[in-house]
Amino acid sequence: GEDVEQSLFLSVREGDSSVINCTYTDSSSTYLYWYKQEPGAGLQLLTYIFSNMDMKQDQRLTVLLNKKDKHLSLRIADTQTGDSAIYFCAERSYNNNDMRFGAGTRLTVKP
Amino acid sequence: DAMVIQNPRYQVTQFGKPVTLSCSQTLNHNVMYWYQQKSSQAPKLLFHYYDKDFNNEADTPDNFQSRRPNTSFCFLDIRSPGLGDAAMYLCATSRGLGDQPQHFGDGTRLSIL
């Protein structure tokens, strides 16, 4: 089946930028999402990008999409301790009901 | 304000004793989903409803069923829970299929004794 892959762990210092990477294999992927999950909670939609876009910026968050390489990244500027969570990359094609998730990247922010 | 609400947040049941998890939404979305998420894993889609049309994933065990009596509510029924069914169960909604992002509730953590 089609896969979505992420590195499992990322550790940064407070105030630094975090970059979480994701790769996917489905060339028909049309929509790509980033979700945040804090301990014991559900998934919070952070941002999403359509495949006809290269970049999307929303306050401290910047999403970059390289469609040729099927690579998606989420950059968090000025990372705070409250950003510590698991970040899931997910992708979906237009005619597919199934949203395919990566395994999640656990971001740890050290003071 | 919470828009996808799951009750209860924590549920404990006995091995083999039927259990029902509840989800409600205030978004008036057409689609409601149930996911199972085990520790340190990605959510796994069990099924979804588009309005009243039920869509089961091929690998969802028969032990899992769902009901959607109206637009706002959707239930997950586990007929005979086994130890392997202990997990976080996430409900999500979307306005439609395709391009619409999914909005998740906070989940119900199910424990099996």
Side-chain angles (χ1 to χ4, degrees), chain A residues 39-96:
Chain A
L43 275 65
Q44 174 193 354
L45 178 65
L46 288 177
T47 186
Y48 60 101
I49 190 169
F50 298 154
S51 60
N52 60 356
M53 300 168 64
D54 298 324
M55 186 181 84
K56 182 177 180 181
Q57 188 157 1
D58 183 2
Q59 299 181 333
R60 292 191 296 124
L61 304 179
T62 302
V63 178
L64 294 178
L65 175 61
N66 183 328
K67 193 175 180 182
K68 174 177 171 290
D69 294 339
K70 300 189 184 71
H71 182 267
L72 181 74
S73 68
L74 174 68
R75 179 176 179 269
I76 306 172
D78 187 25
T79 313
Q80 302 297 307
T81 54
D83 295 323
S84 293
I86 299 175
Y87 291 80
F88 288 94
C89 168
E91 60 87 15
R92 193 176 193 181
S93 56
Y94 186 79
N95 293 321
N96 190 345

Side-chain angles (χ1 to χ4, degrees), chain B:
Chain B
D1 291 335
M3 295 176 286
V4 182
I5 303 160
Q6 291 189 244
N7 284 307
R9 292 294 313 278
Y10 301 92
Q11 176 75 56
V12 181
T13 191
Q14 292 177 332
F15 182 94
K17 184 174 182 181
V19 65
T20 294
L21 309 182
S22 168
C23 178
S24 64
Q25 55 133 340
T26 61
L27 298 164
N28 203 33
H29 281 175
N30 293 312
V31 193
M32 295 187 78
Y33 309 80
W34 278 104
Y35 287 85
Q36 179 192 65
Q37 186 183 24
K38 296 192 174 180
S39 183
S40 303
Q41 295 184 20
K44 179 180 179 298
L45 182 65
L46 296 173
F47 26 59
H48 76 273
Y49 271 95
Y50 188 104
D51 289 334
K52 294 181 180 179
D53 293 333
F54 178 70
N55 297 271
N56 199 31
E57 293 299 299
D59 57 354
T60 299
D62 293 339
N63 201 22
F64 291 85
Q65 298 182 339
S66 186
R67 296 171 284 135
R68 189 178 186 188
N70 53 52
T71 301
S72 301
F73 285 87
C74 194
F75 300 99
L76 169 62
D77 299 311
I78 309 177
R79 288 192 296 181
S80 182
L83 296 178
D85 297 328
M88 173 79 92
Y89 289 88
L90 297 167
C91 174
T93 74
S94 64
R95 187 180 304 279
L97 300 172
D99 62 332
Q100 301 297 316
Q102 296 181 15
H103 301 268
F104 285 79
D106 282 338
T108 294
R109 181 164 296 283
L110 178 66
S111 299
I112 314 293
L113 298 180

